Amino acid sequence: MALLTTFITTPTVMAIYKPANGTSTGPRRKLRDFSNSSGKSSNEQLRLLACIHGAGNIPSLINLIESIRSTKKSYLKLFIMHLVELTERSSSIIMAQRARKDGLPFVNRFRRGGWHDKATVSFQAYGQLGPVSVRPITAVSPLSSMHEDICHVAETKGVTMIILPFHKQWNGEGDKYMENLGHGWRGANQKVLLAAPCSVAVLVDRGFGNGGQTPGPNVCRRVCVLFFGGPDDREALELGGRMAEHPAVKVTVVRFIEKDESHSIAITMQTAPKKSSENKYCLSTATMNIEKEKELDETILSEFLSKWDGLVDYRVKSVTINNLTESVLKTGTTADYDLIIVGKGRFPSTLVDKLADQHQPEHAELGPVGDLLASDKDGLVSSVLVIQQHDLAQKELPATVGSKVDKRPHSNYEKFNSEEGSSEVNKDIV
């Protein structure tokens, strides 16, 4: 009987529900673009799309959004998307029957009953706290195409950033994770990171907001931004600036610099033999000028410190290759911070290169720094938010750390060749 049901339901599901195909072609968005435009218009809305798997994501997400919500700037519009895997069960078939016939994702208010009511009430109550408009919606898709629905909604709603829950969730009491949703959900996150029409943040939750209270006069959230340099780190810094506006959020920026840089060595980043990025960190294919990137890092960091003088604690940490991993891990083990924000590092700096060289990737989609802080190592207690800034050169290729060579000046990142295993990127170390 079970076999017969499978044969009947599988074609039925696929016939009823056809997910939206294709990738986005509309305008691209990131936080810095929004900040520049919002300075010209006080009516500009920051639009965020936050995805959740279940009730366990609600407390941390509400606290994260509240920390991002500016008390002085623009109105925030929040889309909460409950991600439901389309399966062969009858309940999924019924939901699929309600999907739109044009192949667009099933988007509707949360279903009644169970934790769906709790989610609706929680977010509606939160929306009453300030200038936040909350719209709970649901998307039903097979895991293989879940990213298409997420990206479609992000594009049509003009979202600036997508917030994704990590596929593992810790309980905030040591290094044991409470739940692992599995490889399929991890794959969905990886596909969103590749196809998103805007910036993306992945939240590794170790109990951020487990106290049950949002930031307020008697509740302070401690946030740390780790800055190594590059577009992803600058986007992380931009987010940290928004948080610094909140009176109940204390932001610390820690900039890592290398001791004795004149004696540093370059690292050759090569494409992996296979295109799979499962166990390899990925680099962007965009061509970038290293000197201009350095200047941009310095300019934006200088502007940031001038703008938030007195509101942000700024520290510079000099490290060597020998204590680099220990220094990064220490920020997540001291319990000094509730949340650590890092860039994914698709244009890795010297230090991020060397960090990648020191350990085997566990979650390569988070980049070297995020991967290290999201690992199962003993003592890590801080939640982590990994930021990927949107760029027009969407394509990424997996890379391995190749041989070390003497430091030599170069003017550009060389662009990856799309042919499998046929090219390499030589980065100047600055």
Side-chain angles (χ1 to χ4, degrees):
M1 183 64 181
L3 185 61
L4 178 61
T5 302
T6 299
F7 281 126
I8 294 175
T9 57
T10 299
T12 302
V13 168
M14 300 313 296
I16 292 174
Y17 185 80
K18 295 183 175 64
N21 294 320
T23 56
S24 58
T25 58
R28 309 295 178 170
R29 295 170 290 273
K30 52 183 179 286
L31 284 176
R32 187 159 182 83
D33 289 345
F34 173 82
S35 298
N36 292 337
S37 63
S38 64
K40 302 175 184 178
S41 173
S42 59
N43 296 323
E44 189 76 16
Q45 285 185 337
L46 174 62
R47 293 172 169 240
L48 302 177
L49 173 60
C51 301
I52 58 176
H53 297 142
N57 302 134
I58 296 175
S60 58
L61 183 57
I62 287 179
N63 277 276
L64 176 60
I65 298 301
E66 174 60 20
S67 299
I68 297 173
R69 179 180 68 86
S70 171
T71 58
K72 299 178 181 178
K73 280 187 176 181
S74 60
Y75 193 80
L76 190 151
K77 189 160 188 177
L78 176 64
F79 299 92
I80 303 293
M81 176 179 277
H82 174 213
L83 306 179
V84 179
E85 179 184 3
L86 180 64
T87 66
E88 297 171 359
R89 300 173 184 173
S90 58
S91 58
S92 293
I93 297 175
I94 292 173
M95 293 188 70
Q97 288 174 334
R98 298 169 58 192
R100 296 174 60 176
K101 296 180 179 180
D102 57 8
L104 297 180
F106 169 53
V107 176
N108 205 339
R109 294 184 178 275
F110 279 119
R111 295 171 291 170
R112 294 184 177 181
W115 77 268
H116 303 283
D117 286 339
K118 178 182 177 181
T120 302
V121 171
S122 298
F123 286 112
Q124 286 178 345
Y126 169 69
Q128 302 300 317
L129 296 177
V132 181
S133 171
V134 180
R135 184 188 174 189
I137 55 180
T138 304
V140 185
S141 298
L143 286 182
S144 60
S145 60
M146 184 71 74
H147 67 288
E148 295 176 357
D149 289 351
I150 295 172
C151 293
H152 173 82
V153 172
E155 183 173 15
T156 56
K157 301 300 182 182
V159 168
T160 300
M161 176 173 282
I162 299 170
I163 302 174
L164 299 171
F166 193 49
H167 67 282
K168 294 181 182 179
Q169 183 178 351
W170 281 257
N171 58 16
E173 299 176 355
D175 62 338
K176 302 297 182 182
Y177 54 82
M178 179 190 302
E179 184 179 10
N180 185 342
L181 296 182
H183 184 79
W185 286 104
R186 180 188 180 188
N189 282 0
Q190 291 171 332
K191 292 176 182 178
V192 172
L193 287 164
L194 287 173
C198 58
S199 291
V200 180
V202 180
L203 177 60
V204 182
D205 182 23
R206 287 194 176 96
F208 186 60
N210 272 1
Q213 293 176 298
T214 55
N218 300 318
V219 181
C220 181
R221 300 297 181 206
R222 302 160 301 167
V223 176
C224 181
V225 180
L226 303 188
F227 188 84
F228 292 86
D232 293 337
D233 283 36
R234 294 195 293 268
E235 189 80 342
L237 196 66
E238 191 72 31
L239 185 62
R242 286 194 62 89
M243 292 183 171
E245 287 188 310
H246 199 295
V249 178
K250 176 61 178 176
V251 176
T252 300
V253 176
V254 179
R255 184 181 189 184
F256 284 81
I257 61 174
E258 184 177 10
K259 289 182 180 178
D260 301 324
E261 187 178 352
S262 60
H263 297 94
S264 65
I265 53 178
I267 296 178
T268 302
M269 303 297 290
Q270 300 176 336
T271 56
K274 297 180 180 180
K275 290 185 178 181
S276 171
S277 60
E278 188 71 25
N279 296 310
K280 305 294 181 183
Y281 297 121
C282 288
L283 302 181
S284 175
T285 60
T287 301
M288 303 191 76
N289 185 296
I290 300 299
E291 292 302 323
K292 288 184 179 180
E293 283 295 302
K294 280 185 61 179
E295 294 175 4
L296 194 55
D297 285 341
E298 296 296 335
T299 298
I300 290 180
L301 189 58
S302 178
E303 292 175 354
F304 177 89
L305 296 176
S306 176
K307 183 176 183 180
W308 306 115
D309 184 32
L311 294 177
V312 172
D313 183 15
Y314 177 64
R315 304 172 187 176
V316 177
K317 183 173 290 189
S318 297
V319 296
T320 65
I321 189 171
N322 294 324
N323 68 353
L324 176 58
T325 297
E326 178 186 354
S327 297
V328 172
L329 283 173
K330 189 176 180 180
T331 61
T333 58
T334 59
D336 290 338
Y337 307 109
D338 301 302
L339 180 68
I340 300 174
I341 305 177
V342 302
K344 181 179 175 181
R346 292 165 300 153
F347 298 98
S349 64
T350 311
L351 289 174
V352 174
D353 268 348
K354 293 178 179 179
L355 189 64
D357 194 26
Q358 289 181 354
H359 66 98
Q360 181 67 27
E362 183 180 357
H363 307 107
E365 67 272 19
L366 301 181
V369 181
D371 183 22
L372 186 61
L373 290 172
S375 67
D376 297 336
K377 295 182 182 297
D378 292 341
L380 286 169
V381 294
S382 299
S383 296
V384 183
L385 190 68
V386 180
I387 306 295
Q388 174 182 286
Q389 183 190 67
H390 185 271
D391 63 83
L392 292 176
Q394 281 287 302
K395 192 171 184 180
E396 295 181 4
L397 287 178
T400 57
V401 180
S403 59
K404 300 177 180 179
V405 297
D406 293 335
K407 177 180 177 181
R408 293 187 178 92
H410 300 278
S411 59
N412 294 289
Y413 283 94
E414 293 180 14
K415 192 172 183 180
F416 272 123
N417 189 311
S418 61
E419 305 241 336
E420 181 176 320
S422 63
S423 64
E424 61 183 38
V425 171
N426 295 317
K427 303 197 304 62
D428 60 338
I429 301 303
V430 292

